[in-house]
Amino acid sequence: MASYNPYQQTPYQHPQPPQSQYGQIGPPSQYGGTPQPGYGPPGTPQQDQGYFPPQGQAGMNNDGGIGALAGQMGGMGLGGDAAAAYRPNKKKNRHAYHNLEQPSGPQQAFGAPSPAQFGHNSPDVSQQYGSDHPYAGQQVTQAMNQFPAPASAPFSPGLQAPNQGFRQPSQPTSAAGGPGVSQGKVDPEQIPSIPRLRDSAAQYYLDHVYPTMEQHLPPPAAVPFVAHDQGNSSSKFARLTLNNIPSTQEALTTTALPLGIVLQPLAPLQEGEQAVPVLDFGDVGPPRCRRCRTYINPFMTFRSGGNKLVCNMCTFPNDVPPEYFAPTDPSGVRVDRAQRPELTTGTVEFLVPKEYWAKEPVGLHWLFLIDVGQEAITRGFLQAFCEGVLSALYGDHQHKEEADGEQTNGDSPDIARRIPLGSKVGFVAFDRAMYFFNCNAKLDQAQMLVMPDLEEPFVPLGSEGLFVDPYESKSVITGLLQRLPSLFSRNKAPEPALLPALKATQEALALTGGKIICSLSALPTWGPGRLFLRDKNDLHGIETERKLFQTEHAEWRTMASKMVASGIGVDFFLAAASGGYMDIATIGHISAVSGGEIFFYPVFTAPRDVQRVKKEIERTVTRETGYQALMKVRCSNGLQVSSYHANFLQHNFGADLELGSVDADKALGVMFSYDGKLDPKLDAHFQCALLYTTAGGERRVRCTNTVASVSESMSEVMRFLDQDAIVSMIAKEAATRMTERTLKDIRNALTEKTIDILAGHRRTGSGSHPPGQLVLPENLKEFGMYMLGLLKSRAFKAGHEPSDRRTHTMRFFKSASPLELSLFLYPRIVALHTLPDNSCFPDPETGHLIVPSCLRASFGRIEDGGAYLVDDGQICLLWLHEHVNPNLLEDLFGPGNTNLADLDHNLSSLPVLETHLNAQARNLIAYWSSVRGSKALTLQLARQGLDGAEYEFARLLVEDRNNEAQSYVDWLVHLHRGIQLELSGQRRKEEGEGGGVGAGLEGAMAGLSNLIGR
């Protein structure tokens, strides 16, 4: 489970809570509205390498005909596909160290401990779920936090308990006889549901670990799980779009699927998972292939009694260095394999010798570049930023000292370091000038030096005088940050000079590298590199709009390159004044190229957003961060890297990716193409090598090794698709194309890509079904909904949207992890007014939090008088119906709060009350906070008819018709029509949006007799 612990016992948190007055599944709630049926506790029954070809694309048809299709449909059910039965592989034991067939029981990989070694006698799952449940016969881990744990059989997201909404594959049903289908209507329960997928998978992985070799299909990205690394890297570090790869380019093209990998090399681990091993081979460095330079990994083999090391990428036989030699047993396995983490673990780190150094590695230097202009002061952003830095460096200890009225220096034994030993911090402020602060521990208070020269700025203190140990200089730093808002309180300079300040800080970090955390609250219109208002609403909706999504300023591009060359990453905290223009395309270019991040507050409001700023600064400083990074991705013979999609700098294709900094929340996508035919008798291998300097000052290489099978059977390829990786790759490439194509072209291309993928499956893997049925791949059932969410996102949606919002979302897509992207495209929604009494409390037997089931993102699920928490990984809304029960408001917000209008609209968190519902809501928020990316979870009220956030709530209901896009049901009908036209050879991609799709709708409706999931 996650490391947070929000469930500590309090007088109002009972392991077995008493009967509550709050509504539960079954009887109506006193707060009004009937509880949602079917949303009880989890488990309750209920390639073409490019997506944007040169020619025009047919897109979504937004005319009235499509919007009314749902009412014309006779029925839409969801059945199974008996033809999808697994075909056993005729080539036995063809893979180096794994078997891709469905295991009948726990299996053992080379170098992995056997189940007998674990000492567990786990009960059979059939005792919990029943003998006919798909999980029956698998081992249950008794203690999630005890690692290693017995590897369990694979979880199949398409297989659910009987009568749980998804029908069994062996029981296809027609629309006429399908459950939940009424005449003339479509039952939304029978179309693929993302909440149902997440809830069932989350329930399964509460009691099972994910064995990375035995189970080749990873868990859904938005589900917390404990991985057991058996030589194949955990999906937290790397997710392949296809875990069974076609042997030829022609075969891949017929599927229209992207062949790629989503990498998150520094991904955080969950409590109970084994730490990434750090290995030191001394001055000789880790063993590598002499030909392709691949690092030693579990899939390299030894021959000639251990004297030859055969590379798994290029098959070159290398001589084994004498210091690394060990004999092999009769089966060819090294006798010391079990004692060698590099031969048994998919993700490892190597300490590297000086030949890998670009400069002497030192602890990470953090430089806080603080906007002290008039806008930052009047808006309260300066105060919030200073509080956030204090919280990030000293945490709760700082607040405790303030309450006690005393301060101590860094030698206090009870101060826990929040950044590694050797890391240092520095502080620079700016408006129309620059202010450097000397925070030496020997001083009583910080000294300020003013730099008015903006044309040729320099560091008056020198890099050594500017950076100090934050714990040795704790009292000086604390005094500075507490006085900074009052020090500049009379500042009348509304125009900050940002680029000169960035130049000065780059010079300060040039010798060491490091990380810059910059705040900004107004468009920098002063000094060299001044910016101006480019978005005047005259370019929206036309071809030249894409110019607003990239910088045209040569000085800013040059500065970004200098940052990367110096090994510096830049994070920006941007607070727009009243939603004003900030030119994120130009300012954010530096963070995008350097591997940084933008935290954007489009309408910053104090005190509502203060807590969010503090938490996000704290996350930025305390997460695992490296700098001076180079990345190289290698793959097997027959494949080659075709493109990268992320935030990085690459001087020419084929060169290493350069990143000023890299952190635990950043991901990148890599696309592959064929340069030959793959041998189905061999595996395909992928290795990501990230060379970086840790925050503690060690130069390391983190190697992430991933393996996939190679097959000539398309049915086998379709069985091992990773839906989250496919959506991530498509989103990242679409974001890359925003500076090249019009938004209309991108929307059309995304629509056509969705149809191509589903039609490819229909053509290659479901020939036994009638032409009139919509057949979805078993592991891509929810793919259509994710793509609809992508089309409705701020980056690509039709209609007017400020360019800052579009650009910020575009950059987010390029660096987002699969977890963040999954939540962003389909939010999680929970009804607070119908929570069962035991929900959101620890299970008395297992200790796991009982997480309530999520609702579908549709207004049809919203009840009168309801209260709903909605979280998309970026913001969390508490939506309250205008007729919400006053008792519920009192239980959530405290006595006397019985009227919506009287609630504090600046609320950012729930008060701590001794009420059952309040404890449930806070526990749920704490749990959600642990299952998300870099953005902090703070509440924002969305009261019906009172708050502007209500429009944001409506936008998050992605299954409904909004943003000029279709509803989920209409979208599926639209996809089905496109698939039919494709299979009949009548689809015309060259027409505009909606072209080639709107004609002949009556024929499509006559043929759409059933929706079948495979």
Side-chain angles (χ1 to χ4, degrees):
M1 298 299 293
S3 58
Y4 72 96
N5 184 19
Y7 321 124
Q8 295 178 350
Q9 294 299 310
T10 68
Y12 52 92
Q13 290 176 290
H14 307 287
Q16 293 178 307
Q19 186 69 22
S20 171
Q21 59 180 333
Y22 315 127
Q24 54 185 330
I25 299 302
S29 167
Q30 75 161 21
Y31 296 136
T34 304
Q36 296 288 351
Y39 287 95
T44 302
Q46 313 265 353
Q47 158 115 343
D48 180 6
Q49 292 301 315
Y51 310 139
F52 305 92
Q55 67 270 20
Q57 301 289 342
M60 294 169 51
N61 191 340
N62 291 327
D63 58 26
I66 286 290
L69 284 181
Q72 303 175 28
M73 298 177 62
M76 182 179 284
L78 181 63
D81 180 10
Y86 176 62
R87 304 172 187 173
N89 202 323
K90 295 181 179 180
K91 299 182 179 64
K92 299 296 183 182
N93 302 321
R94 67 183 186 177
H95 301 291
Y97 296 112
H98 71 292
N99 186 352
L100 295 186
E101 297 180 3
Q102 297 273 3
S104 57
Q107 303 177 13
Q108 182 180 1
F110 278 89
S114 64
Q117 294 175 272
F118 298 131
H120 297 301
N121 294 318
S122 302
D124 196 297
V125 182
S126 60
Q127 299 177 8
Q128 177 181 359
Y129 292 104
S131 59
D132 59 344
H133 195 277
Y135 309 149
Q138 300 173 5
Q139 297 297 313
V140 180
T141 304
Q142 291 181 342
M144 282 290 278
N145 292 339
Q146 298 301 316
F147 191 90
S152 51
F155 165 73
S156 176
L159 299 178
Q160 306 294 325
N163 301 323
Q164 197 175 347
F166 285 73
R167 299 190 186 93
Q168 296 296 327
S170 59
Q171 300 173 345
T173 57
S174 64
V181 179
S182 58
Q183 185 65 28
K185 294 183 179 181
V186 179
D187 184 0
E189 289 293 340
Q190 302 306 314
I191 60 178
S193 167
I194 292 178
R196 186 185 299 132
L197 168 72
R198 291 174 178 171
D199 291 342
S200 58
Q203 181 67 17
Y204 176 80
Y205 283 106
L206 279 178
D207 301 311
H208 297 76
V209 296
Y210 162 54
T212 62
M213 194 75 79
E214 297 171 20
Q215 180 180 330
H216 215 49
L217 191 62
V223 171
F225 62 91
V226 171
H228 177 196
D229 192 333
Q230 299 175 316
N232 189 33
S233 288
S234 166
S235 58
K236 294 178 181 179
F237 299 112
R239 298 183 80 106
L240 279 168
T241 57
L242 308 172
N243 292 286
N244 201 329
I245 298 175
S247 58
T248 63
Q249 176 69 63
E250 292 74 19
L252 178 66
T253 302
T254 61
T255 68
L257 290 164
L259 176 55
I261 189 171
V262 182
L263 298 166
Q264 192 178 352
L266 300 183
L269 296 174
Q270 188 165 316
E271 183 179 343
E273 292 183 316
Q274 204 170 30
V276 175
V278 180
L279 310 176
D280 188 359
F281 284 86
D283 293 338
V284 296
R288 303 180 67 179
C289 175
R290 293 199 345 253
R291 176 189 287 174
C292 68
R293 305 302 292 161
T294 297
Y295 289 86
I296 185 74
N297 63 76
F299 303 103
M300 287 187 173
T301 56
F302 291 86
R303 295 179 183 172
S304 303
N307 289 290
K308 292 290 185 180
L309 176 63
V310 181
C311 178
N312 60 311
M313 298 289 181
C314 66
T315 69
F316 181 75
N318 298 269
D319 292 329
V320 176
E323 64 274 9
Y324 193 65
F325 173 79
T328 58
D329 62 19
S331 63
V333 179
R334 282 177 60 122
V335 296
D336 66 343
R337 179 180 176 84
Q339 288 75 45
R340 291 281 186 180
E342 73 274 14
L343 301 180
T344 59
T345 309
T347 303
V348 296
E349 284 199 336
F350 302 108
L351 295 174
V352 293
K354 291 185 177 181
E355 62 188 83
Y356 291 81
W357 297 2
K359 57 185 70 173
E360 183 78 20
V362 296
L364 181 58
H365 284 46
W366 297 87
L367 201 157
F368 295 94
L369 185 58
I370 306 172
D371 178 11
V372 293
Q374 182 181 25
E375 198 66 44
I377 297 169
T378 57
R379 297 282 173 181
F381 189 58
L382 175 59
Q383 180 73 37
F385 190 82
C386 292
E387 291 179 4
V389 175
L390 281 173
S391 179
L393 293 178
Y394 308 116
D396 294 336
H397 186 87
Q398 170 66 25
H399 302 300
K400 179 179 181 297
E401 287 183 357
E402 291 177 357
D404 295 341
E406 59 182 33
Q407 292 185 352
T408 61
N409 284 321
D411 55 357
S412 177
D414 57 345
I415 297 180
R417 295 190 68 97
R418 311 202 78 195
I419 60 176
L421 187 66
S423 296
K424 295 184 177 181
V425 298
F427 299 90
V428 178
F430 71 99
D431 46 26
R432 290 184 177 180
M434 286 167 282
Y435 310 92
F436 295 82
F437 297 95
N438 182 357
C439 296
N440 192 291
K442 298 179 181 179
L443 299 174
D444 292 332
Q445 63 180 21
Q447 296 177 345
M448 183 176 73
L449 289 81
V450 182
M451 170 58 62
D453 188 356
L454 301 181
E455 297 295 334
E456 297 181 359
F458 64 93
V459 183
L461 292 172
S463 59
E464 290 298 323
L466 182 62
F467 295 98
V468 297
D469 185 294
Y471 299 96
E472 293 178 358
S473 303
K474 181 176 183 295
S475 60
V476 179
I477 293 174
T478 302
L480 169 65
L481 294 175
Q482 290 176 344
R483 296 197 321 270
L484 206 57
S486 60
L487 185 64
F488 292 92
S489 60
R490 298 186 179 183
N491 194 342
K492 302 300 181 182
E495 303 167 317
L498 178 58
L499 187 61
L502 289 171
K503 288 182 178 179
T505 53
Q506 182 270 328
E507 291 181 7
L509 291 168
L511 296 178
T512 62
K515 192 70 180 278
I516 297 173
I517 309 295
C518 178
S519 69
L520 184 68
S521 54
L523 185 68
T525 56
W526 188 265
R530 64 179 63 88
L531 303 179
F532 57 92
L533 180 63
R534 292 197 296 156
D535 188 357
K536 301 178 180 178
N537 296 327
D538 57 346
L539 299 179
H540 291 260
I542 61 177
E543 185 174 355
T544 53
E545 183 180 7
R546 62 175 180 263
K547 292 182 179 180
L548 298 175
F549 308 145
Q550 56 187 324
T551 181
E552 298 178 345
H553 208 299
E555 288 186 85
W556 287 81
R557 290 183 178 273
T558 301
M559 177 51 55
S561 299
K562 287 184 177 180
M563 290 288 187
V564 177
S566 301
I568 304 169
V570 185
D571 287 351
F572 285 104
F573 287 77
L574 305 181
S578 303
Y581 180 66
M582 296 289 287
D583 199 354
I584 290 181
T586 298
I587 297 173
H589 177 75
I590 291 182
S591 63
V593 171
S594 66
E597 185 172 0
I598 295 177
F599 295 86
F600 183 40
Y601 311 94
V603 186
F604 178 83
T605 302
R608 184 194 67 192
D609 296 324
V610 171
Q611 190 67 18
R612 181 182 171 191
V613 172
K614 292 172 60 176
K615 287 185 176 182
E616 289 178 346
I617 295 176
E618 186 173 355
R619 171 69 178 174
T620 300
V621 173
T622 57
R623 64 188 173 189
E624 185 175 4
T625 303
Y627 66 105
Q628 296 179 27
L630 295 173
M631 178 180 285
K632 182 74 172 179
V633 178
R634 298 178 174 87
C635 52
S636 295
N637 285 341
L639 295 173
Q640 62 183 359
V641 175
S642 61
S643 61
Y644 294 96
H645 301 287
N647 294 330
F648 58 86
L649 178 66
Q650 188 178 30
H651 293 289
N652 53 74
F653 189 76
D656 294 349
L657 303 186
E658 299 181 40
L659 302 99
S661 67
V662 60
D663 60 65
D665 296 317
K666 299 299 181 297
L668 73 158
V670 185
M671 291 286 290
F672 302 100
S673 60
Y674 290 76
D675 61 1
K677 181 179 179 180
L678 299 178
D679 187 352
K681 299 179 181 180
L682 302 175
D683 292 324
H685 297 275
F686 306 87
Q687 184 181 83
C688 166
L690 176 69
L691 174 65
Y692 73 107
T693 304
T694 68
E698 290 184 330
R699 194 70 170 160
R700 298 181 183 178
V701 171
R702 174 166 292 198
C703 289
T704 303
N705 301 284
T706 311
V707 63
S709 178
V710 178
S711 177
E712 294 178 333
S713 170
M714 289 298 99
S715 61
E716 289 191 26
V717 171
M718 291 294 176
R719 292 185 65 248
F720 294 102
L721 304 179
D722 188 331
Q723 180 170 251
D724 292 296
I726 291 172
V727 172
S728 292
M729 286 305 310
I730 293 176
K732 290 179 186 300
E733 182 166 0
T736 303
R737 298 289 185 263
M738 279 186 65
T739 59
E740 305 169 6
R741 301 292 185 89
T742 65
L743 294 176
K744 181 179 179 181
D745 286 344
I746 293 176
R747 288 193 297 272
N748 293 345
L750 289 172
T751 302
E752 294 302 324
K753 188 63 180 178
T754 307
I755 294 174
D756 287 340
I757 290 175
L758 297 180
H761 166 259
R762 191 72 170 88
R763 193 165 32 233
T764 60
S766 59
S768 62
H769 294 285
Q773 292 180 340
L774 175 58
V775 183
L776 303 176
E778 178 62 44
N779 296 314
L780 287 182
K781 283 181 179 177
E782 298 78 19
F783 175 67
M785 184 62 248
Y786 277 122
M787 294 302 291
L788 180 61
L790 190 62
L791 287 167
K792 292 182 176 183
S793 69
R794 280 198 165 95
F796 307 123
K797 76 179 188 71
H800 175 80
E801 188 72 25
S803 61
D804 277 348
R805 287 290 191 98
R806 289 196 189 274
T807 306
H808 180 248
T809 306
M810 173 192 75
R811 299 251 170 84
F812 164 76
F813 282 158
K814 293 173 70 173
S815 65
S817 66
L819 164 62
E820 280 190 294
L821 186 62
S822 177
L823 293 177
F824 186 76
L825 297 182
Y826 196 98
R828 43 196 177 187
I829 305 176
V830 166
L832 295 181
H833 61 288
T834 57
L835 284 177
D837 286 345
N838 64 341
S839 186
C840 302
F841 288 103
D843 188 293
E845 298 180 359
T846 66
H848 299 315
L849 184 73
I850 301 175
V851 181
S853 298
C854 291
L855 307 181
R856 302 184 75 139
S858 172
F859 198 78
R861 303 298 177 132
I862 305 302
E863 298 177 342
D864 290 347
Y868 297 86
L869 273 177
V870 187
D871 174 37
D872 71 346
Q874 309 295 305
I875 60 172
C876 183
L877 300 178
L878 176 55
W879 186 84
L880 300 170
H881 190 271
E882 60 180 346
H883 299 307
V884 66
N885 193 299
N887 293 336
L888 183 145
L889 295 180
E890 281 197 318
D891 288 341
L892 273 180
F893 303 105
N897 292 287
T898 59
N899 190 346
L900 274 184
D902 295 336
L903 296 179
D904 183 6
H905 65 279
N906 288 323
L907 184 78
S908 62
S909 62
L910 290 176
V912 177
L913 304 175
E914 295 188 7
T915 63
H916 194 82
L917 182 62
N918 181 274
Q920 287 180 303
R922 288 187 292 105
N923 282 349
L924 179 61
I925 291 171
Y927 170 75
W928 279 359
S929 298
S930 70
V931 189
R932 60 194 288 121
S934 61
K935 305 303 187 294
L937 195 157
T938 57
L939 280 184
Q940 183 174 352
L941 282 185
R943 299 167 294 177
Q944 187 178 29
L946 295 175
D947 296 316
E950 187 181 2
Y951 295 99
E952 187 70 14
F953 173 74
R955 188 186 68 83
L956 294 178
L957 300 178
V958 290
E959 289 197 16
D960 295 337
R961 182 180 178 91
N962 53 27
N963 294 339
E964 302 183 22
Q966 297 159 312
S967 68
Y968 186 20
V969 172
D970 292 343
W971 170 245
L972 287 177
V973 176
H974 176 64
L975 294 180
H976 180 54
R977 175 57 182 163
I979 294 170
Q980 286 185 309
L981 292 175
E982 174 68 20
L983 297 178
S984 64
Q986 302 177 31
R987 182 158 159 247
R988 294 174 292 175
K989 296 185 180 182
E990 69 277 3
E991 296 192 14
E993 188 168 1
V997 179
L1001 290 175
E1002 295 79 4
M1005 293 309 306
L1008 188 58
S1009 60
N1010 196 10
L1011 173 66
I1012 295 183
R1014 178 180 174 192

